[in-house]
């Protein structure tokens, strides 16, 4: 995989939680042990095979080790101290205890020999084999993984103003709709928002691409769109589709950051390579709710089908009941789509009538109007 470095996302350090702290790297481990004790720490998916002497000399009482590789004598010692040890699980294509979100390079490692050999494809294949076998161990591993992803996502987004961009996976590269979604992502990123999408192809990829293009001159996005148009869809070849994205990343490295939140539940749809951090889940319900709940600065809904309609009302429900506090802005793009083809807007208006959320919904004709609608509703709040 080529070097596709981008503007780094904020690093999550050992995060204090109720008097304990999470350790997610060797650097954090070394800093903690230099203070003489790991008591009360949660050490998450750190390879400690080179830290045996440190572990033997350090108090680890009440520590928890989640998926940390250790030499046998170190593991025996920390257990004797009273630490709780969850050992690594062999022969999995994913790490259930991971302490950070995925990067595109990580999920697409091995792409040169075909998408089917990547960790993303192998994880989907494992999910397909185990999702209905009734094995509690497999379901437990999926749950642990998804909880770890949620924890890493929360750490990443502390203090961020997040705008969700929702839309269908069928939007093809090379179309004016795809270009519009990309310009939207770039506009939002340049305004200081963190763009979050469902992390897949189509409208989702376009918005993540726009955020990636934000630090560059406008001409970069035009050139990238032209390059990508040669592979308009992930069908018939995910490999060719993904390689075109990595060609863009290689030609213009160190792009802007955004977040993609896809799912292996829809594993036939690959994640896109333009989200700097990818929170990929096994459980789609957890992923859907988490994406919308974290879009604290509003959501833009581009034209889509059943999935996007579901997201609109998943977002409308907490706004209606104000279960997450003050309703957040919702902008529906393409009047004809949302009033004629899929008449979602009239029902949304009816729900909002005489409620605070009425001032937080907007219907616009074109994607270029969405940023101003968001800004207006935010200012009125």
């Amino acid at each position: 995989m080529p070097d596709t470095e981008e503007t780094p996302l904020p690093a999550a350090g050992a995060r204090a939680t109720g008097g304990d702290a999470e350790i997610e790297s060797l650097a954090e481990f070394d800093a903690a042990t230099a203070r003489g004790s790991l008591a009360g720490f949660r050490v998450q998916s750190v390879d400690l095979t080179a830290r045996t002497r440190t572990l033997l000399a350090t108090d680890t009482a009440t520590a928890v080790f989640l998926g940390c590789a250790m030499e046998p004598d170190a593991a025996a010692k920390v257990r004797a101290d009273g630490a709780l040890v969850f050992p690594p699980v062999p022969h999995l294509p994913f790490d259930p205890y991971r302490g950070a979100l995925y990067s595109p390079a990580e999920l697409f490692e091995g792409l040169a020999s075909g998408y089917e050999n990547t960790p993303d494809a192998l994880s989907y294949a494992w999910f397909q084999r185990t999702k209905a076998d009734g094995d509690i161990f497999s379901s437990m591993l999926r749950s642990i993984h998804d909880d770890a992803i949620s924890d890493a996502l929360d750490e990443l987004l502390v203090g961020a103003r997040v705008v969700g961009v929702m839309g269908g996976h069928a939007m093809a590269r090379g179309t004016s709709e795809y270009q519009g979604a990309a310009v939207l992502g770039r506009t939002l990123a340049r305004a200081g928002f963190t763009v979050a999408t469902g992390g897949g192809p189509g409208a989702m990829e376009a918005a993540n691409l726009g955020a990636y293009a934000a630090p560059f001159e406008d001409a970069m996005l035009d050139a990238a769109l032209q390059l990508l148009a040669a592979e308009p869809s992930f069908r018939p070849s995910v490999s060719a589709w993904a390689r075109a994205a990595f060609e863009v990343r290689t030609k213009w490295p160190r792009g802007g950051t955004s977040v993609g939140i896809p799912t292996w539940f829809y594993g036939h749809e690959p994640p896109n390579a333009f989200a700097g951090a990818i929170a990929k889940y096994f459980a789609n319900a957890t992923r859907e709710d988490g994406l919308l709940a974290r879009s604290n600065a509003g959501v833009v809904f581009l034209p889509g089908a059943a999935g996007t309609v579901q997201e609109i009302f998943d977002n409308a429900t907490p706004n209606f009941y104000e279960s997450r506090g003050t309703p957040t802005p919702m902008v529906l793009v393409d009047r004809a789509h949302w009033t004629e083809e899929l008449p979602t807007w009239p029902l949304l208006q009816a729900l909002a009538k005489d409620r605070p959320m009425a001032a937080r919904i907007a219907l616009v004709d074109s994607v270029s109007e969405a940023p101003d609608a968001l800004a207006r509703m935010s200012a009125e709040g």
Side-chain angles (χ1 to χ4, degrees):
M1 184 64 61
D3 179 10
T4 55
E5 180 185 355
E6 60 196 280
T7 303
L9 290 155
R15 181 169 62 86
T17 309
D20 296 324
E22 295 174 9
I23 293 175
E24 298 165 348
S25 69
L26 274 177
E28 293 171 7
F29 176 86
D30 291 341
T33 54
R35 295 192 290 269
S37 176
L38 287 174
F41 278 80
R42 283 78 170 101
V43 190
Q44 191 172 348
S45 193
V46 181
D47 186 346
L48 299 176
T49 52
R51 295 295 189 273
T52 298
R53 293 177 67 180
T54 300
L55 287 167
L56 293 176
T58 302
D59 174 23
T60 59
T62 70
V64 178
F65 294 86
L66 300 166
C68 298
M70 287 182 269
E71 296 293 347
D73 51 345
K77 184 266 181 186
V78 300
R79 285 191 175 97
D81 278 353
L84 190 59
V85 178
F86 293 77
V89 182
H91 312 305
L92 283 179
F94 63 94
D95 177 5
Y97 305 107
R98 59 181 300 114
L101 301 183
Y102 294 98
S103 69
E106 183 179 6
L107 284 177
F108 284 100
E109 184 180 2
L111 181 63
S113 58
Y115 171 71
E116 65 276 8
N117 299 306
T118 65
D120 186 65
L122 294 172
S123 296
Y124 176 54
W126 177 88
F127 181 42
Q128 289 294 94
R129 291 194 305 270
T130 63
K131 67 181 181 180
D133 64 7
D135 182 3
I136 191 172
F137 184 56
S138 296
S139 62
M140 181 188 72
L141 291 173
R142 293 194 295 269
S143 296
I144 291 172
H145 169 274
D146 287 1
D147 193 62
I149 289 294
S150 290
D151 181 68
L153 186 58
D154 286 338
E155 291 178 355
L156 179 73
L157 295 179
V158 170
R161 293 187 301 154
V162 181
V163 172
V165 179
M166 312 297 167
H169 68 270
M171 184 183 288
R173 295 168 173 174
T175 63
S176 59
E177 292 81 9
Y178 186 97
Q179 180 183 18
V183 172
L184 171 66
R186 184 177 66 185
T187 301
L188 293 172
R190 286 178 174 175
F193 294 107
T194 296
V195 173
T197 79
M204 298 170 279
E205 180 189 56
N208 287 129
L209 166 64
Y212 185 85
F216 300 100
E217 297 291 332
D218 288 357
M220 174 269 171
L221 181 56
D222 296 334
L225 289 168
Q226 185 174 2
L227 191 157
L228 291 170
E231 297 292 343
S233 173
F234 64 96
R235 296 187 177 100
S237 173
V238 174
S239 298
W241 174 84
R243 286 173 187 143
F246 280 102
E247 185 178 349
V248 169
R249 292 179 59 101
T250 300
K251 190 174 180 66
W252 294 281
R254 294 177 294 280
T257 60
S258 63
V259 177
I261 308 181
T263 173
W264 280 295
F265 183 80
Y266 297 134
H268 59 287
E269 297 178 14
N272 77 73
F274 293 111
I278 301 175
K280 191 150 192 179
Y281 287 87
F282 288 105
N284 186 50
T286 305
R287 166 255 191 176
E288 288 274 12
D289 184 68
L291 171 55
L292 294 167
R294 291 175 176 88
S295 297
N296 55 20
V299 183
V300 178
F301 297 93
L302 302 175
T308 310
V309 171
Q310 177 182 340
E311 289 163 346
I312 288 172
F313 290 105
D314 281 348
N315 196 203
T317 300
N319 279 349
F320 180 88
Y321 290 110
E322 300 182 59
S323 56
R324 294 177 184 148
T326 301
T328 52
M330 299 175 64
V331 181
L332 277 61
V333 176
D334 192 330
R335 188 176 303 273
H337 184 83
W338 295 120
T339 61
E340 299 172 17
E341 295 176 38
L342 293 173
T344 302
W345 175 250
L347 179 53
L348 189 61
Q349 275 189 308
L351 282 171
K353 185 178 179 181
D354 299 325
R355 303 187 73 90
M357 71 176 284
R360 297 289 184 274
I361 62 171
L363 176 66
V364 298
D365 291 307
S366 67
V367 72
S368 63
E369 299 172 75
D372 286 344
L374 272 176
R376 172 178 54 77
M377 289 188 287
S378 297
E380 289 173 356

